[in-house]
Amino acid sequence: MQKHGLMMLTLASLLMWGARAETSPQDLLNAVDKMTPDEAQLFYQKLESKFWKPLPEGFFTRLGVSVAAEISGLAKVSPGSQSALGSTLDLSRAGGGEVALLWQVGDPKLRLGLSFGSLLAGDSKLEDGSYARSDLMAGLGAVVLNYQLVRETHWQLFTQLSAGMGGARLDTLDTPKGQATTIHTYDAGFPWAQVQAGLAWRPNPVLTLFAGGGYRFAGAATLSEGGETERGKLDISGATGRFGLAFNF
């Protein structure tokens, strides 16, 4: 039976790939109809295995694009010249997103690329006639190294390292009771790195769903305003969590 099954597989392959011009779809269906259940199962497994194999390698066939949403902790956001109410604002949590371009490099488990992300945080308070508000916007660019520790057909366990530079802008509005409103805009630049681990699920060869977590390490930055160099401190270090989609070309 095994020999007969191999013969049927060979026949089906010839019908599919070797004689398309001379063979009608009905001929292939007739060949499938003559298979035993065991042969049909083996035929299906063979086709599925071929379906998951990557296309011949090229620049774009080794490219993946991922889009992720992120939540993050922030270690310190401390601008100067704040009222008592302004100093109580909580900017310890941020949300944002990231787009990454990753290329397969050598080992099928290894990917190298670039990422571009952003973080947003804000808080405001109205109390006893006083009002204060702070809004933080940060942009992050990095080189990314992604390695799949476990690589199965439908799922992967991966780890990822990112390292790059970031820039941030902090806008504050402060209106103490009975006083004029003060508005400040601060800027900062800093190096950062992030380590992550996560799980990815591939329902088909093109689409990947993933989720993971890690920690971002960032250099403590000085918030500057109007050319002054000492107007506060910023540190976006903190735990991170993310989920997203990846598209594999």
Side-chain angles (χ1 to χ4, degrees):
M1 180 175 288
Q2 184 176 4
K3 182 177 180 181
H4 179 62
L6 292 174
M7 291 176 63
M8 291 301 299
L9 285 175
T10 302
L11 173 61
S13 297
L14 288 173
L15 289 173
M16 251 185 186
W17 307 108
R20 287 184 179 175
E22 299 82 9
T23 303
S24 69
Q26 189 60 48
D27 293 330
L28 179 58
L29 292 174
N30 291 338
V32 173
D33 287 338
K34 295 177 182 179
M35 294 181 184
T36 67
D38 288 341
E39 292 166 352
Q41 180 68 19
L42 187 59
F43 183 43
Y44 173 78
Q45 291 173 353
K46 189 75 172 179
L47 288 178
E48 185 182 39
S49 174
K50 182 69 68 174
F51 175 71
W52 279 92
K53 288 184 178 180
L55 297 173
E57 288 195 355
F59 179 82
F60 286 104
T61 58
R62 291 183 286 116
L63 173 65
V65 179
S66 68
V67 181
E70 179 180 300
I71 55 174
S72 174
L74 301 178
K76 187 175 185 178
V77 183
S78 179
S81 305
Q82 285 187 300
S83 67
L85 181 62
S87 64
T88 64
L89 297 180
D90 184 9
L91 295 179
S92 62
R93 293 177 300 277
E98 180 188 77
V99 176
L101 304 175
L102 297 177
W103 286 268
Q104 180 181 317
V105 181
D107 187 338
K109 295 183 177 182
L110 181 64
R111 283 167 171 75
L112 182 66
L114 302 171
S115 70
F116 307 92
S118 64
L119 288 175
L120 301 174
D123 192 21
S124 63
K125 282 189 179 180
L126 175 62
E127 183 178 293
D128 192 28
S130 298
Y131 179 73
R133 181 173 183 84
S134 292
D135 293 286
L136 177 70
M137 296 163 285
L140 307 171
V143 175
V144 179
L145 180 66
N146 180 286
Y147 187 76
Q148 297 171 348
L149 298 171
V150 177
R151 179 183 171 89
E152 300 293 340
T153 299
H154 291 285
W155 68 274
Q156 292 92 36
L157 172 65
F158 68 88
T159 183
Q160 183 167 297
L161 173 64
S162 306
M165 293 294 297
R169 171 177 166 176
L170 177 65
D171 294 323
T172 66
L173 184 151
D174 214 344
T175 308
K177 185 176 181 179
Q179 300 182 36
T181 297
T182 302
I183 299 175
H184 292 279
T185 297
Y186 305 94
D187 298 291
F190 47 85
W192 67 280
Q194 184 168 275
V195 291
Q196 301 176 68
L199 285 171
W201 175 58
R202 296 183 68 187
N204 58 59
V206 175
L207 181 65
T208 301
L209 308 177
F210 63 90
Y215 195 89
R216 180 187 299 109
F217 303 88
T222 298
L223 291 168
S224 62
E225 181 185 28
E228 296 187 30
T229 59
E230 197 62 49
R231 301 291 288 174
K233 294 294 183 181
L234 173 68
D235 186 350
I236 67 165
S237 300
T240 64
R242 63 177 50 193
F243 63 93
L245 300 172
F247 303 91
N248 311 293
F249 291 88

